[in-house]
């Protein structure tokens, strides 16, 4: 088992003293840019409520073209420009909030910061989110950048933090607030500045990659400069495989067990939970792109000479192929690869036989693991005619897409809510797995449904543990069809949408208001189309 020849010359050196060596480097020129008020006018008119075309044009005029071009390459759009997902900055925010000794500072409209802070705490964040407020004057004159720089200097306490992440939301990005001019480090605390605009990054899942990639880039530069701190858990005595993409906590352990017979071990999961794990991830010879949309992170691993393997060990077929691909990437003898397969494939087969799913299921989500879940459902016996994912098509999901296509599954990348709802209406499945509005739509029609994020992706999916993890919750949901029919019959006649409820008289409908609002929407759509043509 050897590293590929391309990895020679990029070995991670560890400081035996266990202390991070502070890299002085060359100080960045402390520039306080005076932003052109004329260029920022379009971004300020309406603030974050301005349409995406206006915001993007303002950002390019303010010098952000290189960032937006990179995002367009990393996160290609189409067939839908912007899948309906929550604010993308939520993804990068969660990555930072989960890391030990990492502080997060947001720069954006107060309403956006409030919403992001609220939802981050709703999902279990246990620390404060920093905020640098601004107004039109501080934004246009460049005072906002000065305020951001002052705030990170005040926060840069090496006893508390390894890094501070500063995130530009839509309006500061569109206004050209130059986070690249912030110091790379202050008092030994790393400063990582990123732009996460809603008009440049399609989904919050991909925003996780923006921060993960930026941190890997920083860590890679540290490694090139000299020895770095050894990870808290130490260095594995076996070659390791880094795992790319957030997953259920039991999955990395199961993957590690499956790698054992090949003489390999599971490395860190990226996004990581602490800074030193970034070094250990870059020290892995092979990277498993479990979630296939981490394009910026893949670029950093490839720059370090690491081999990237797509798909994941899900189900019988997926596990067999994945173990073979990982073993070949590490030049593991075929006998050892066969030993790993023989140790786990029979167990997976038995688990699948004992956890059958009988029914038709439509599947949609924005986590990035939708194709993997579909594979597992099909091997469990379910009929899955439609899979919609808000994430893009990438080389790392190629094997999964081909496997699903060979079984007649229609996979829609960058799926819109309308795609997912149309699939539910056309197929009328026994179960609809999807986002909140898909679940609501299905339940209104008496179709059992499950919320993907909380009830499906929050379960083990890999190896023997994953083989039987979905059947119980899926079969229980399908069995609830009779109960849903009774509820629909009970509430029959109470109205629908804007006529829902119990009325003493006829509902006070105002079709003239609806028509006037529709005209406004049509006008906005025509204007946006005209901007695209220009």
């Amino acid at each position: 088992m050897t590293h590929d020849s391309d990895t020679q010359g990029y070995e991670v050196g560890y400081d035996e003293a266990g202390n991070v060596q502070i890299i002085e480097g060359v100080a960045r020129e402390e520039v306080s840019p005076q932003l052109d008020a004329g260029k920022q006018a379009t971004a300020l008119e309406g603030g974050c409520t301005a349409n995406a075309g206006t915001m993007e044009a303002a950002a390019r005029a303010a010098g952000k073209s290189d960032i937006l071009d990179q995002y367009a390459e990393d996160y290609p759009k189409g067939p839908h420009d912007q899948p309906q997902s929550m604010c993308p900055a939520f993804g990068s925010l969660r990555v930072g909030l989960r890391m030990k000794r990492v502080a997060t500072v947001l720069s954006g409209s107060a309403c956006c910061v409030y919403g992001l802070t609220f939802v981050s705490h709703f999902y279990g964040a246990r620390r404060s989110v920093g905020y640098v407020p601004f107004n039109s004057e501080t934004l246009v004159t460049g005072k906002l950048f000065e305020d951001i720089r002052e705030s990170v200097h005040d926060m840069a306490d090496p006893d508390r933090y390894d890094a501070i992440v500063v995130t530009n939301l839509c309006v500061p990005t569109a206004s050209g607030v130059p986070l690249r001019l912030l110091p790379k480090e202050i008092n030994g605390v790393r400063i990582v500045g990123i732009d996460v605009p809603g008009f440049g990054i399609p989904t919050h899942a991909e925003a996780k990659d923006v921060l993960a990639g930026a941190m890997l880039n920083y860590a890679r530069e540290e490694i090139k400069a000299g020895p770095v701190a050894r990870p808290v858990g130490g260095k594995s005595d076996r070659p390791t495989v880094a795992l790319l993409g957030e997953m259920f906590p039991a999955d990395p352990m199961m993957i590690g067990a499956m790698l054992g017979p090949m003489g390999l071990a599971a490395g860190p999961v990226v996004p990581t939970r602490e800074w030193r794990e970034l070094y250990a991830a870059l020290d892995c010879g092979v990277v498993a792109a479990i979630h296939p949309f981490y394009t910026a992170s893949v670029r950093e691993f490839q720059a370090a000479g690491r081999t990237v393997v797509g798909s994941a060990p899900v189900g019988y077929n997926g596990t067999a192929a994945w173990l073979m691909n990982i073993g070949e990437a590490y030049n593991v003898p075929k006998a050892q690869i066969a030993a790993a397969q023989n140790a786990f494939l029979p167990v997976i087969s038995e688990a699948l036989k004992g956890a059958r799913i009988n029914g038709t299921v439509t599947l949609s989500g924005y986590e990035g693991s939708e194709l993997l879940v579909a594979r597992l459902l099909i091997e469990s016996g379910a009929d899955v005619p439609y899979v919609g994912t808000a994430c893009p098509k990438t080389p790392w999901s190629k094997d999964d897409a081909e496997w699903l296509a060979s079984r007649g599954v229609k996979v829609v990348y960058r799926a819109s809510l309308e795609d997912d709802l149309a699939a539910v209406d056309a197929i009328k499945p026994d179960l609809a797995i999807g986002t909140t509005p898909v679940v609501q739509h299905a339940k209104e029609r008496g179709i059992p449904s499950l919320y993907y994020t909380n009830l499906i992706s929050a379960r083990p999916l890999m190896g023997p543990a994953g083989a039987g993890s979905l059947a119980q919750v899926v079969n229980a949901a399908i069995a609830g069809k009779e109960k849903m029919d009774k509820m629909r019959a009970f509430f029959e006649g109470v109205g629908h949408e804007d006529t829902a409820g119990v009325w003493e008289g006829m509902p006070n409908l105002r079709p003239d208001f609806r028509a006037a609002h529709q005209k406004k929407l049509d006008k906005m759509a025509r204007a946006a189309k005209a901007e695209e043509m220009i």
Side-chain angles (χ1 to χ4, degrees), residues 252-263:
M253 293 186 287
M254 177 55 65
I255 289 174
M258 290 189 286
L259 292 173
M262 293 193 290

Side-chain angles (χ1 to χ4, degrees), residues 207-227:
K208 297 175 183 177
D209 177 49
V210 173
L211 181 53
M215 288 185 165
L216 283 169
N217 177 269
Y218 198 121
R220 190 165 62 82
E221 293 300 319
E222 289 183 301
I223 291 168
K224 289 166 63 177

